[in-house]
Amino acid sequence: RGDAIVELDWSAGQILAALERNGLTRNTMVIFSSDNGPVVDDGYRDQAVERLGGHKPAGPLRGGKYSKFDGGTRVPFILRWPERVKPGVSNALLGQIDLLASFTALTGHTLPTEAAPDSFNVLPALLGESKAGRDHLIEHANGLALIQGAWKLIQPAKGPKTNTTNIELGNNPEPQLYNLDEDLAERNNLAAQHPEKVKELSALLDKISRAGRTRP
């Protein structure tokens, strides 16, 4: 994985350098992100496990690829557009699927009602004009989880605790509730202490699941 990271860094640098050479840097939006959380022991003969050392690919997050914990779905997201966006850090909640509705709005168009039903227009958050993103976000990894505000609910699920890559999957026969503001690593299950919040988020998740869409 070390060689892959070096190549990725080099490739991104080449793209930015090409924009600079052609005078396109200031008015070009560049987004750098990832498709999922990390996985180390995924069957490739790349010595990733042996070379890992003390490095933690998911940082403080629990789980990784395939997991209902945020280590599986919370990914890097960097947007650069010098002409429009000032440097800064945002905690706005959004998903990559929101790029559809957001870019549609950016270009002055409207999504058809049946198109991208899970995509929200979070353009003000992307441009750094608002600290608010979407109201809630559903995560899927062989089961569903829901984030709203500081709270995250993971639905009860049967199955193994880990998979063949030694990643915690987030399966538990009981509901799991975490306060991500206070417990980013999802270690302290608060479901027993906040049954009303479990009920509230479960009802919202069920409503969205039955509707088959999250965008109004």
Side-chain angles (χ1 to χ4, degrees):
R1 285 296 178 258
D3 293 341
I5 292 173
V6 170
E7 182 178 354
L8 176 63
D9 184 64
W10 177 86
S11 299
Q14 291 294 298
I15 293 171
L16 297 180
L19 292 174
E20 188 67 29
R21 284 196 307 271
N22 290 280
L24 300 173
T25 295
R26 284 204 57 80
N27 202 26
T28 299
M29 180 193 293
V30 176
I31 292 177
F32 182 94
S33 192
S34 177
D35 57 345
N36 49 247
V39 56
V40 178
D41 186 12
D42 52 357
Y44 294 102
R45 296 181 179 179
D46 53 9
Q47 294 185 301
V49 176
E50 293 84 351
R51 296 180 178 182
L52 190 62
H55 178 61
K56 297 180 179 180
L61 302 178
R62 189 175 180 181
K65 185 179 180 180
Y66 316 112
S67 175
K68 287 184 276 286
F69 293 122
D70 264 19
T73 50
R74 185 183 290 237
V75 296
F77 190 94
I78 302 171
L79 184 149
R80 190 185 77 162
W81 189 5
E83 189 73 23
R84 291 285 303 272
V85 181
K86 297 178 180 179
V89 178
S90 174
N91 290 320
L93 182 66
L94 57 89
Q96 292 172 350
I97 196 169
D98 295 326
L99 297 180
L100 289 165
S102 301
F103 289 166
T104 300
L106 178 65
T107 56
H109 294 81
T110 302
L111 276 175
T113 303
E114 69 279 5
D118 295 318
S119 186
F120 283 72
N121 177 10
V122 294
L123 186 61
L126 291 173
L127 299 182
E129 299 169 353
S130 172
K131 295 182 179 180
R134 52 158 63 222
D135 173 72
H136 57 272
L137 178 70
I138 292 181
E139 299 176 331
H140 179 265
N142 293 314
L144 299 178
L146 173 68
I147 294 176
Q148 186 178 52
W151 295 100
K152 176 176 176 179
L153 173 76
I154 301 179
Q155 282 187 324
K158 298 178 181 179
K161 296 293 184 180
T162 62
N163 63 6
T164 55
T165 65
N166 201 34
I167 288 175
E168 283 189 284
L169 299 176
N171 291 328
N172 193 310
E174 300 297 327
Q176 298 174 75
L177 180 71
Y178 301 100
N179 185 321
L180 298 180
D181 282 353
E182 300 175 357
D183 179 26
L184 187 62
E186 298 173 87
R187 296 293 178 184
N188 185 20
N189 184 3
L190 300 175
Q193 292 94 312
H194 298 278
E196 72 291 342
K197 181 58 68 173
V198 172
K199 183 178 180 180
E200 174 190 339
L201 295 181
S202 295
L204 175 59
L205 185 52
D206 181 62
K207 178 181 178 181
I208 294 170
S209 298
R210 284 186 286 105
R213 61 188 297 124
T214 56
R215 181 162 56 89

